[in-house]
Amino acid sequence: MPPKSDRTDSTSSTDESASSGRTSHARQNSHAPANPSNLREVHVPSETPSPSETRYSMAFPTDEAGASSSHAHGDLDFSADGIHPLPDRASVHSTDENVPPDQQGAIIEVDLENAIRARLLHQRDWDAGSGCGSDNCNHGALSPRPWLHRNYGSMSSDMSRDGFGGRYAGGVQEGPGESADPTHALLGDAFADGVLGGGNGQKMSTTRWLARRHGIKNQRIMYLAYYVPIFNWARQYKWSYLRGDFVAALTVASFYIPMTLSYASNLAHLPPVNGLYSFAINPLIYAVLGTCPLMVVGPEAAGSLLTGEVVRENIRKGTTGDDDGVRNAEIAGIVTCMAGAFIFLAGLFRLGFLDNVLSRPFLRGFISAIGVVIFVDQLIPEMGLARLAAQEVSHGSCLDKVVFIFRNIGKSHALTCAVSFGAFAIIMFFRELKKRLQPRYPNIAYFPDRFLVVVLSAVLTWKFGWEAKGLAVLGDVNGGGKPFAVHFPLDTSHLKYVSDAVNTALIIALLGFFESSVAAKSLGTGGSKKDGGGVQNMPLSANRELIALGTANLVGGLFMSLPAFGGYGRSKVNASTGGTTPMSSVFLSLITIICIAFLLPYFYFLPKGVLCAMVSVVAYSLVEEAPHDIKFFWRIRGWSEMILMFGIFLATVFWDLKRGIVVGIGLSVLRLIRHSTRPRIQILGRVPGTTDKFANAELDPGELEFVEGCLIVKIPEPLTFANTGDLKSRLKRLEDHGTGAAHPALPRVRREEHNKNVIFDVHGVTSLDGAGAQVLMEIVEGYRERGVEVFFCRVPREGTQVWGLLEKSGVVELCGGRGHFVSGVEEALRLTEGIRGGDGSGRA
């Protein structure tokens, strides 16, 4: 044994070089997994080397022939002559001068740092063994330990650290997504665990099992913070976020409070203060329950216009009047409450997937039509023709109003036109200027151009007495009612308005949720800033968004506010001007409440034409993206999408809003049903020169060859009641023509002997329901009655839901037993050759 000092001297420089090498290697592989596969595991050399050691090891001279093998599973030491174990030390960073004899051999071509890291992750008590018991230890590359990150609850010290997660094996049943306990399946993990206390054994949910296994305490608080996100983001709030949130709220308020006044007075035919209620109440509630930290909830042009349609319908019937602001506000409250109720119930029944039903062409066609309708509507008051239009075309279509404008253009009011179109030109100028300069000067977004236009126009109107010269002003904003007066919308005396409001409220709910969903997905969770700021661990959830938006509109309806949903435009302004957390929505609500309490009298001289100009700018923004979508669908030859888009647009513009959206929803649902019910079965051909490569013969018919006596059919999707109704007829086309592209009128061209063996490649059938199993059983039964041999390949393994249904339905027995269920098409072809060449029993 060499002297101790020699050992120390010989390893000092090597340790330093190894350390620098490891640091360099870590920098080069910062994105590499800690332990890519078991093939890269470190195995300390022992007397009986493993196969991997035999392959990747090389011999070194031994210092002592009698080296003990008892250290074969000890820790490792880096030295000049390879990797050697150290005695009884759990940490590789431990040192001991009493070193045992060196081991023979060294491992090469192994990522040492990653391998040791993987080994330590599997060593449960490694820190205890090294004498370190602190959570904040700093004794090596693994400090601080990655599993100490806390989310909703604290972690216990005996938590599992494998980091793989997984499903609870004790309660697994047939279905891969089914809960073993009916209570959890019916009520969900949150209610069954968080409220009822969960269960044990086979009644334990996977969530509860993982929480226990990983030492997560306070599971009720975990669920509470998930479903009421304010308990999550409030504890993360920092004083450094305060300035940005407040500035963002002030900027959004300066832009959108005047616009909200215009939505209420010009689109919804309500007292302007009812539009402010939407900004005072809904953002505050969404900040408590919403899942998108940067989204700002408020009234939208489309929802306000549809609410105004209900109000105007009742004005036309005589149940209310143009000047009856309180009654009109009550009707709007009914619409808002019903829209909120629809949204809330959809979230309660977990219908968040509905945001995928309405397609992009549907949205673009309808929103573009809304923009055109709003633009035409606002031209009438901008030209000073509102009183004349009220007598002639107040309830006419968009086309009727266009004709009215051209006929009466000579009767326009000059001062109103000058103020309105001047305001429109100024806002559009600053809009384009900001768009061009903002990439270079981001702070230009803070410039409140619309707020200044509103203030200056009101001051000029008051100073020069433009009201006396015929310029229409906003007047008394309060509308004669008490601020924040609560009114139950479904009072028995107002049930007569419900029938008119139901359909419109449903449409508002669908559009509002769809736009909110698009905005939320575009904004994300807000926690991805480079500096690590913002709210973390707030996953987006469509169902929780439904609950949040529904609750906000239910409460807003009590105050007779406009329907309010998330908008991408104002949310983008919020994010770009410093907004970081939902506290910006809280500040926005507080600013709006201050305006309602103290600033309403100062809105008296605000010209209506200026508000109409602001709405016209919004209408322009709704239309300006349509050419981009049209160009895109034209480039990809998406004719069906373009037909849907233009159909909805024309129906909405030339008919009316309700019928336009009914047409759009109907066409979208028909396209969805048609897409989901069409079976996508394929006939496979063999790639020439191979025995085990098969491809879709219809995509490349000239390059693939059919197999004599066999019909190979691939089913690349789950089989359910929705797509199996036409499966038999499509299989018949493959049998008769060898393709599904031929018309059924064509007589049989594929010879019958080529259909004597049918092979189903069902690799894509990841799920199967009862209706699908029944149709499949009938197909196999028909083949067997005709003497056709049926084989299945790449079937899900035994024990799965698909295999269970195949057995229970009798498909396995009809085919001839498990021998007809093989692992690949090539194996099935070998079986068919044995059947054809033998006695028919499957043996050659």
Side-chain angles (χ1 to χ4, degrees):
M1 178 181 294
K4 185 184 305 182
S5 58
D6 294 344
R7 168 75 178 190
T8 304
D9 294 337
S10 64
T11 59
S12 58
S13 61
T14 307
D15 288 342
E16 182 178 353
S17 62
S19 176
S20 62
R22 291 194 302 271
T23 305
S24 174
H25 185 80
R27 285 197 300 267
Q28 295 173 0
N29 296 277
S30 59
H31 298 286
N35 186 23
S37 70
N38 289 332
L39 296 177
R40 306 283 287 179
E41 290 277 3
V42 167
H43 298 277
V44 179
S46 62
E47 291 181 349
T48 307
S50 65
S52 61
E53 293 169 3
T54 304
R55 177 176 299 180
Y56 296 111
S57 63
M58 56 185 298
F60 283 83
T62 59
D63 292 330
E64 184 173 336
S68 174
S69 63
S70 61
H71 304 291
H73 300 286
D75 287 285
L76 306 178
D77 175 50
F78 296 91
S79 65
D81 53 5
I83 302 176
H84 304 276
L86 290 177
D88 300 329
R89 303 294 293 182
S91 173
V92 296
H93 302 281
S94 306
T95 58
D96 198 328
E97 293 184 351
N98 297 319
V99 182
D102 296 342
Q103 292 285 341
Q104 296 183 11
I107 300 174
I108 62 173
E109 296 184 8
V110 176
D111 187 341
L112 302 181
E113 181 182 2
N114 288 339
I116 296 167
R117 175 185 174 91
R119 183 170 178 271
L120 290 178
L121 288 177
H122 288 289
Q123 179 66 32
R124 183 178 183 86
D125 299 319
W126 68 275
D127 53 346
S130 63
C132 176
S134 172
D135 288 347
N136 299 316
C137 60
N138 191 25
H139 60 256
L142 292 180
S143 305
R145 288 168 291 176
W147 52 81
L148 287 179
H149 173 70
R150 288 172 171 82
N151 187 359
Y152 298 115
S154 60
M155 306 286 189
S156 67
S157 59
D158 59 346
M159 58 178 281
S160 172
R161 295 167 183 168
D162 56 18
F164 289 108
R167 190 180 177 189
Y168 176 43
V172 174
Q173 288 189 348
E174 284 189 359
E178 298 294 331
S179 175
D181 181 15
T183 304
H184 286 84
L186 180 64
L187 302 178
D189 290 354
F191 191 84
D193 291 341
V195 179
L196 302 182
N200 295 311
Q202 292 186 350
K203 293 185 177 181
M204 184 187 301
S205 68
T206 297
T207 305
R208 188 177 180 86
W209 176 74
L210 284 172
R212 285 187 177 183
R213 188 165 182 258
H214 289 75
I216 299 176
K217 301 178 180 179
N218 300 322
Q219 295 177 35
R220 285 187 171 89
I221 294 179
M222 175 185 74
Y223 286 117
L224 180 64
Y226 180 81
Y227 287 103
V228 187
I230 191 173
F231 290 103
N232 186 7
W233 66 260
R235 60 193 287 270
Q236 304 180 44
Y237 200 78
K238 302 176 183 178
W239 285 108
S240 58
Y241 301 156
L242 187 65
R243 177 182 175 274
D245 287 338
F246 180 75
V247 172
L250 195 62
T251 306
V252 172
S254 66
F255 286 171
Y256 289 96
I257 284 181
M259 195 169 299
T260 301
L261 296 172
S262 182
Y263 286 161
S265 60
N266 295 331
L267 297 182
H269 305 284
L270 305 177
V273 71
N274 291 94
L276 293 180
Y277 291 158
S278 300
F279 261 150
I281 298 167
N282 294 60
L284 184 62
I285 297 175
Y286 184 82
V288 175
L289 299 174
T291 64
C292 183
L294 297 178
M295 192 160 71
V296 178
V297 172
E300 290 290 333
S304 302
L305 184 63
L306 289 169
T307 303
E309 290 288 317
V310 179
V311 174
R312 288 198 297 180
E313 183 68 19
N314 282 277
I315 293 174
R316 185 181 62 82
K317 291 180 178 179
T319 56
T320 184
D322 280 324
D323 300 327
D324 192 353
V326 176
R327 184 59 56 85
N328 294 345
E330 292 174 355
I331 295 173
I334 293 173
V335 176
T336 302
C337 253
M338 295 186 70
F342 285 133
I343 290 287
F344 184 85
L345 290 175
L348 204 61
F349 290 103
R350 306 179 65 81
L351 301 180
F353 63 88
L354 289 177
D355 68 333
N356 299 317
V357 174
L358 303 181
S359 63
R360 178 69 175 270
F362 165 84
L363 180 68
R364 180 56 57 209
F366 184 74
I367 293 298
S368 299
I370 287 283
V372 172
V373 170
I374 291 174
F375 195 87
V376 172
D377 277 352
Q378 299 311 298
L379 280 176
I380 294 175
E382 285 173 358
M383 298 171 65
L385 301 174
R387 292 184 180 179
L388 185 61
Q391 302 173 1
E392 299 184 17
V393 292
S394 60
H395 305 290
S397 65
C398 181
L399 183 61
D400 295 334
K401 292 176 181 178
V402 171
V403 173
F404 168 82
I405 289 172
F406 279 103
R407 285 181 178 175
N408 297 278
I409 193 171
K411 300 178 182 179
S412 302
H413 188 260
L415 180 60
T416 302
C417 287
V419 172
S420 302
F421 295 134
F424 179 81
I426 293 172
I427 295 172
M428 287 297 296
F429 171 77
F430 279 102
R431 183 176 182 269
E432 293 301 317
L433 184 65
K434 284 183 177 182
K435 187 183 298 184
R436 296 176 184 272
L437 295 181
Q438 195 167 357
R440 200 177 215 180
Y441 308 102
N443 289 335
I444 199 173
Y446 291 87
F447 184 73
D449 53 300
R450 302 184 191 190
F451 178 75
L452 293 178
V453 168
V454 167
V455 172
L456 287 175
S457 64
V459 170
L460 293 175
T461 303
W462 167 73
K463 183 70 175 178
F464 296 104
W466 286 348
E467 182 185 8
K469 297 179 182 180
L471 181 66
V473 296
L474 195 58
D476 186 10
V477 175
N478 199 16
K482 295 180 180 180
F484 294 103
V486 177
H487 176 79
F488 186 64
L490 299 181
D491 189 83
T492 53
S493 61
H494 298 116
L495 292 179
K496 56 186 175 182
Y497 305 125
V498 172
S499 60
D500 295 325
V502 170
N503 296 333
T504 303
L506 180 59
I507 294 171
I508 291 172
L510 283 173
L511 283 180
F513 171 59
F514 191 85
E515 185 171 1
S516 300
S517 178
V518 171
K521 292 175 182 178
S522 301
L523 294 165
T525 59
S528 58
K529 296 187 177 182
K530 293 181 180 179
D531 58 357
V535 178
Q536 306 292 330
N537 302 316
M538 276 186 65
L540 295 175
S541 168
N543 293 314
R544 288 186 293 147
E545 282 293 291
L546 287 168
I547 293 291
L549 295 171
T551 304
N553 282 285
L554 281 170
V555 177
L558 297 178
F559 295 92
M560 297 167 288
S561 68
L562 288 173
F565 296 92
Y568 180 71
R570 59 173 167 265
S571 301
K572 194 67 176 176
V573 171
N574 177 51
S576 63
T577 54
T580 307
T581 72
M583 186 59 73
S584 60
S585 294
V586 176
F587 284 138
L588 177 61
S589 293
L590 295 177
I591 293 171
T592 309
I593 292 172
I594 292 173
C595 289
I596 295 172
F598 302 106
L599 301 180
L600 288 183
Y602 298 98
F603 294 141
Y604 183 91
F605 289 101
L606 186 59
K608 288 186 176 180
V610 173
L611 298 180
C612 294
M614 298 179 70
V615 177
S616 296
V617 173
V618 175
Y620 174 82
S621 68
L622 295 179
V623 180
E624 68 176 343
E625 294 185 11
H628 175 270
D629 287 351
I630 294 173
K631 183 180 178 181
F632 174 79
F633 289 126
W634 181 275
R635 185 169 70 247
I636 66 171
R637 301 297 188 265
W639 308 125
S640 62
E641 287 81 2
M642 292 184 66
I643 291 173
L644 176 64
M645 185 190 305
F646 282 106
I648 296 171
F649 179 85
L650 296 175
T652 305
V653 170
F654 292 103
W655 207 349
D656 61 33
L657 292 174
K658 291 182 180 179
R659 291 180 176 87
I661 198 169
V662 167
V663 169
I665 292 176
L667 291 176
S668 297
V669 171
L670 285 176
R671 291 178 74 241
L672 179 65
I673 294 174
R674 180 174 178 269
H675 177 77
S676 61
T677 57
R678 174 186 295 178
R680 294 165 181 81
I681 60 174
Q682 307 167 6
I683 183 170
L684 299 184
R686 184 163 53 192
V687 178
T690 67
T691 60
D692 59 348
K693 295 185 184 300
F694 301 87
N696 188 350
E698 301 200 53
L699 294 181
D700 202 358
E703 300 297 329
L704 301 177
E705 59 185 19
F706 288 113
V707 180
E708 182 182 355
C710 294
L711 175 66
I712 308 173
V713 178
K714 182 178 180 179
I715 304 179
E717 61 184 349
L719 290 177
T720 65
F721 72 95
N723 61 357
T724 53
D726 199 30
L727 185 59
K728 292 181 181 179
S729 60
R730 290 189 174 270
L731 277 173
K732 180 64 174 173
R733 290 195 194 183
L734 296 183
E735 295 173 29
D736 291 347
H737 311 128
T739 176
H743 195 277
L746 179 70
R748 174 190 288 273
V749 296
R750 181 181 170 91
R751 296 206 302 268
E752 182 68 27
E753 59 265 24
H754 292 317
N755 300 327
K756 289 298 184 182
N757 297 279
V758 177
I759 300 172
F760 287 106
D761 181 357
V762 293
H763 183 61
V765 183
T766 55
S767 64
L768 180 70
D769 67 359
Q774 185 179 24
V775 172
L776 200 58
M777 184 270 294
E778 293 173 353
I779 290 173
V780 174
E781 189 176 33
Y783 280 137
R784 296 300 293 140
E785 290 176 353
R786 290 155 45 193
V788 176
E789 292 290 334
V790 181
F791 300 87
F792 283 82
C793 62
R794 300 205 291 177
V795 182
R797 63 179 177 82
E798 295 186 22
T800 61
Q801 180 251 2
V802 174
W803 178 262
L805 277 177
L806 291 177
E807 276 195 318
K808 294 174 184 177
S809 62
V811 172
V812 176
E813 183 180 354
L814 283 171
C815 290
R818 302 191 180 196
H820 284 236
F821 289 77
V822 294
S823 60
V825 176
E826 183 186 13
E827 186 176 349
L829 287 176
R830 286 199 296 267
L831 289 178
T832 62
E833 292 171 358
I835 290 175
R836 292 200 305 270
D839 56 2
S841 62
R843 296 182 297 272

